[in-house]
Structure formats: structure tokens, C-alpha cells
């Protein structure tokens, strides 16, 4: 059983910062997941990948957040973070934590319930 619980969202002014956390309940380590990431979905738009960390530690970011957002993980706390700096109104969305497991050809996706981030201009 895998459970992801996000926290840290809220309302912030443009230029401000927020740190999102994703607490992962799982038997074992975060390293048992092939990848962990943060997605976001704005009203009327498709869900999009914001940032991901892929084992053994490669990180990737959407171009729109490069240099402003940082993804990290604490394996001791089974928690993944998204540090968001220099926030813009376009960053307003529901942010979802994602974990991916692979077993041979099979891929399993796990999602949190989402946390709202609102950036005012």
C-alpha cells in the first residue's frame, strides 16, 4: 500500500516562495520508486510535469520553472520536497505528488490528493 500526502500549498504574492512536501507512506525506501515528481494542473489545462527526480538521482524540470524550483528528497523521512522561489501568477495550480514503480514491463503510478498553490499579482 502506497500513500502520498502533500502539504505546504497556500496563497503567496508574486515573487514569494513556498515549499511543498510530499510524505510517502510505504514499506521500504523512496529509492524503491523508479521516479518521484511533482505535477500541476491549472483550471482548464492538462496536468503537466513540473519536476522529477529519477533514480539514481537525475533531476529534470519543465522549462517554465528552471532556475526557480528545486526538487529534493529525504530518504530518512520518506519525503519529497518542491522548493518554489520567484513565484509567478502563472504558477497558480493544484500541485500533485507522483511516484512511479516499475516491475518488468509494468508501470505503476501513485498520486497524492493535491495541494492548491495560488500566486497573486
Amino acid at each position: 500500500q502506497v500513500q502520498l500526502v502533500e502539504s505546504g500549498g497556500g496563497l503567496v504574492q508574486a515573487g514569494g516562495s513556498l515549499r511543498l512536501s510530499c510524505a510517502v507512506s510505504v514499506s521500504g525506501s523512496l529509492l524503491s520508486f523508479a521516479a518521484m515528481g511533482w505535477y500541476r494542473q491549472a483550471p482548464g489545462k492538462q496536468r503537466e510535469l513540473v519536476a522529477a527526480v529519477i533514480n539514481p538521482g537525475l533531476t529534470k524540470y519543465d522549462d517554465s520553472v528552471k532556475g526557480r524550483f528545486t526538487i529534493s528528497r529525504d530518504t530518512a523521512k520518506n519525503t519529497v520536497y518542491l522548493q518554489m522561489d520567484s513565484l509567478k501568477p502563472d504558477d497558480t495550480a493544484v500541485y500533485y505528488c507522483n511516484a512511479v514503480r516499475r516491475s518488468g514491463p509494468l508501470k505503476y503510478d501513485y498520486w497524492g490528493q493535491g495541494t492548491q498553490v495560488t500566486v497573486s499579482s
Side-chain angles (χ1 to χ4, degrees):
Q1 183 76 6
V2 178
Q3 187 175 14
L4 284 65
V5 179
E6 301 101 333
S7 61
L11 173 64
V12 64
Q13 287 190 329
S17 298
L18 283 173
R19 188 177 80 156
L20 305 183
S21 299
C22 174
V24 183
S25 296
V26 63
S27 58
S29 166
L30 290 183
L31 299 179
S32 68
F33 294 104
M36 298 205 66
W38 287 93
Y39 287 70
R40 67 186 178 188
Q41 187 167 20
K45 294 187 177 181
Q46 288 189 330
R47 191 173 295 190
E48 62 179 5
L49 175 66
V50 175
V53 55
I54 303 163
N55 279 344
L58 175 69
T59 56
K60 62 183 293 186
Y61 297 91
D62 184 78
D63 286 345
S64 66
V65 306
K66 280 181 182 176
R68 300 189 298 121
F69 290 11
T70 305
I71 188 170
S72 62
R73 59 185 177 182
D74 186 331
T75 55
K77 296 182 178 179
N78 268 13
T79 301
V80 180
Y81 302 98
L82 184 68
Q83 178 66 41
M84 305 187 295
D85 298 318
S86 302
L87 282 161
K88 304 175 181 179
D90 284 349
D91 296 318
T92 295
V94 178
Y95 284 69
Y96 297 91
C97 183
N98 168 261
V100 175
R101 266 196 175 142
R102 294 189 181 275
S103 178
L106 301 177
K107 177 187 174 187
Y108 301 91
D109 273 286
Y110 302 92
W111 295 93
Q113 82 287 352
T115 185
Q116 177 71 46
V117 171
T118 303
V119 185
S120 63
S121 56

